Amino acid sequence: MQHVTQVELLKRTLALVEQGVSDCVEAPSALPVDVYLNEERYRRERDEVLRCEPLLVARSSEIAPGHFITRDLLAPLLLTRDEQGRLRGFLNVCKHRGTQLVGEVAGRNRVFVCPYHAWAYNPDGQLRGIPHGYGFEGIDRACLNLTEVPVAERFGAVWARHSEGPALDLDTFFGEQILADFDSFALDSHVLFDPQDIRRPVNWKLTIDTFLENYHVAKAHQATIDHLFWPNLGLFDRFGRHIRNYYVKRNLREILDQPERDWDLRRHGNLLYFLWPNTLVLVEPDHIAFSTVFPDGPQATRVLGHTLLPEEPATEKALRYFQKNNAILYSALEEDFALAARVQKGIQAGAAGQLWHGRFEQALRWFHQGLDEALGDARVEVMKPKSTPQVG
């Protein structure tokens, strides 16, 4: 991150320490529990939001020139890169009878032959051949090519839309501040470490909710990460529908003995980015963890996670260090999943019609407001701030 931004955020943090409060908005808010339970709402989130936005689906390094990978996410995807490095994305579906075309996870480009009736496609999505083609005379062959979906690369990652649409404009999508922050992390040169594929029986939004506030850390993470963090102290900034949180560590006061030129934001807290609509990025002092959250049905979540390291661990000691760090991260995530499952049961019991967001849980409000705006369905209710009594 640019040093001027680091200094600005750390000064804001020190001011909050002096006040003894976290960053807050003007009033609490409430959210109806049916946004987690209603199946029609889930289908609209999937079809009208998640399938229509750029989603992180792979690291660029996973697709070498002349190779392909497949991803079975909100739709089956086939991603190919030609020998010149051009990346293309398709729905991994044969146009004849809708069969999944390519079954392998990855491999070298080739003519892709459907396992059902042997229709054949080139890696550029063009239909190559139809056995007994006379049976399909009169059909425009252009409409039988694979359905292409827009893809683009940024931050060393592949972003894809899960449906047809215009080319992705990631500069506009992320905006100036997110681009500045992430470009400063130099992610293109990082290496992939410890990919994860986790499925749990909770609504996908409950999974994201657990990342977006640190109010729960003191109680829920006593055994894992609580000792590292200042109780319920954070900064929260919104950039369009993207969110940047800064969760402060207990070593913050060390900077009081340092000149500003030596201040290091990542040493004294963790940055947590929510990249609309479903990617969470945890920036730690010497590595960065990505978690992309997909609904796996109305009441189920799939999290694709991976860690980025500045370089391959050069020694066994370095390897054990990063393995230990990830073990702590995923242990904390399992604690969050366990609590999310308890929330799921609680809201299904009908004990209350709404859940509450405190003034320092504003990132939760922003996330759900973003979904409301995208769906044209305002469900977040912001409480009116209490007026201060006038004296005299």
Side-chain angles (χ1 to χ4, degrees), residues 185 187 190 266 281-284 287-290 306-308:
F185 300 143
L187 298 181
H190 281 55
R266 290 172 68 170
V281 185
L282 182 65
V283 181
E284 301 196 55
H287 60 286
I288 299 176
F290 281 73
H306 63 270
T307 301
L308 294 184

Side-chain angles (χ1 to χ4, degrees), residues 74-110:
L74 300 175
L77 299 178
L78 171 63
L79 306 173
T80 69
R81 195 187 298 277
D82 66 23
E83 296 291 350
Q84 289 70 48
R86 181 185 178 186
L87 179 71
R88 299 183 74 165
F90 308 95
L91 295 183
N92 184 20
V93 177
C94 177
K95 281 294 190 70
H96 174 213
R97 297 276 291 281
T99 311
Q100 183 175 324
L101 178 64
V102 183
E104 302 97 315
V105 173
R108 290 200 63 87
N109 286 340
R110 62 174 191 270

Side-chain angles (χ1 to χ4, degrees), residues 43-336:
R43 285 190 289 271
R44 293 190 63 205
E45 291 167 352
R46 180 195 63 194
D47 297 341
E48 299 177 32
V49 179
L50 293 169
R51 284 181 173 167
C52 298
E53 297 282 20
L55 305 185
L56 194 160
V57 295
R59 301 307 309 177
S60 295
S61 60
E62 295 181 90
I63 317 173
H67 287 71
F68 73 89
I69 66 170
T70 60
R71 289 287 189 268
D72 191 9
L73 301 169
L74 300 175
L77 299 178
L78 171 63
L79 306 173
T80 69
R81 195 187 298 277
D82 66 23
E83 296 291 350
Q84 289 70 48
R86 181 185 178 186
L87 179 71
R88 299 183 74 165
F90 308 95
L91 295 183
N92 184 20
V93 177
C94 177
K95 281 294 190 70
H96 174 213
R97 297 276 291 281
T99 311
Q100 183 175 324
L101 178 64
V102 183
E104 302 97 315
V105 173
R108 290 200 63 87
N109 286 340
R110 62 174 191 270
V111 175
F112 299 115
V113 179
C114 178
Y116 199 178
H117 300 93
W119 283 34
Y121 295 87
N122 290 326
D124 63 1
Q126 297 295 303
L127 179 66
R128 183 184 181 95
I130 302 175
H132 308 286
Y134 65 85
F136 299 90
E137 292 173 357
I139 300 175
D140 180 3
R141 286 177 68 98
C143 76
L144 300 178
N145 297 330
L146 294 182
T147 299
E148 189 159 10
V149 297
V151 294
E153 296 179 269
R154 197 67 192 255
F155 315 140
V158 176
W159 305 81
R161 184 180 156 119
H162 281 64
S163 59
E164 293 180 279
L168 300 182
D169 179 358
L170 294 185
D171 284 356
T172 299
F173 178 73
F174 288 116
E176 182 178 353
Q177 188 61 60
I178 295 295
L179 291 172
D181 286 6
F182 276 75
D183 285 344
S184 74
F185 300 143
L187 298 181
D188 286 358
S189 61
H190 281 55
V191 297
L192 180 65
F193 180 75
D194 192 24
Q196 300 278 329
D197 189 345
I198 303 169
R199 298 173 191 257
R200 294 293 181 270
V202 295
N203 183 273
W204 73 283
K205 297 186 296 298
L206 287 176
T207 302
I208 290 179
D209 288 350
T210 62
F211 283 84
L212 294 184
E213 47 88 4
N214 61 339
Y215 184 34
H216 72 288
V217 171
K219 180 62 177 175
H221 298 309
Q222 287 175 305
T224 50
I225 60 174
D226 172 53
H227 67 284
L228 298 172
F229 291 94
W230 202 296
N232 195 35
L233 180 63
L235 298 179
F236 305 91
D237 294 294
R238 176 168 49 172
F239 308 103
R241 291 177 182 162
H242 310 293
I243 301 168
R244 182 182 66 198
N245 299 349
Y246 183 58
Y247 299 144
V248 184
K249 290 184 176 177
R250 295 177 188 265
N251 65 9
L252 174 69
R253 292 189 185 277
E254 292 177 4
I255 67 173
L256 297 177
D257 300 322
Q258 302 169 356
E260 283 187 11
R261 66 176 179 274
D262 295 334
W263 286 8
D264 182 353
L265 188 78
R266 290 172 68 170
R267 172 173 169 75
H268 302 290
N270 285 351
L271 287 159
L272 188 285
Y273 290 87
F274 169 70
L275 301 181
W276 170 264
N278 69 330
T279 292
L280 298 145
V281 185
L282 182 65
V283 181
E284 301 196 55
D286 51 12
H287 60 286
I288 299 176
F290 281 73
S291 300
T292 303
V293 182
F294 295 91
D296 201 22
Q299 305 300 329
T301 288
R302 182 182 183 190
V303 178
L304 295 183
H306 63 270
T307 301
L308 294 184
L309 308 182
E311 59 186 9
E312 292 283 358
T315 65
E316 283 295 320
K317 181 179 179 180
L319 177 62
R320 288 194 300 271
Y321 167 79
F322 287 113
Q323 288 173 335
K324 181 179 178 181
N325 272 272
N326 269 17
I328 294 171
L329 169 65
Y330 287 108
S331 292
L333 180 57
E334 288 302 329
E335 292 170 340
D336 284 334

